Amino acid sequence: MKYSNEPFDCDVGYCKPPLHSRFQKGKSPNPRGRPKGSANYLTLLQRVLGQKVAVTEDGKRRKITKIEAAMTQLLNKAALGDTRAFQATLKVVTLLGLKPEQETGGLTFIIEG
């Protein structure tokens, strides 16, 4: 809105802040920027899923990654008849793009890509 008694020669309103409060040319609005070494959620998730945990199988202790342990538990529950675990397994299979290969002996998944 422009009025005759207003000393400013520019409009002020929605998406038009006053000139004195706008970002100055050549000056960054975020001078420090993102700190170096800061990780996003995907990086953190990959780091956590890659950590090793000790498991006991058939009386022997061995170290496997957390994602391997989680997938093993999920598949074991699905094999015991847990319908939620079976549905979750199917979701993982479709997300990973695994397709069943036709064989006479059994069901084998192949990874494309």
Side-chain angles (χ1 to χ4, degrees), residues 69-81:
M71 292 305 298
T72 303
Q73 286 181 337
L74 181 66
L75 291 172
N76 287 342
K77 285 183 179 182
L80 291 174

Side-chain angles (χ1 to χ4, degrees), residues 81-100:
D82 187 352
T83 55
R84 283 190 170 185
F86 184 71
Q87 290 173 348
T89 302
L90 289 179
K91 284 184 182 179
V92 169
V93 167
T94 56
L95 283 173
L96 293 177
L98 302 176
K99 296 181 180 179

Side-chain angles (χ1 to χ4, degrees), residues 43-52 66-67:
T43 306
L44 291 174
L45 182 65
Q46 287 175 341
R47 186 181 314 145
V48 170
L49 290 177
Q51 291 175 349
K52 301 275 186 170
K66 287 184 180 181
I67 187 67

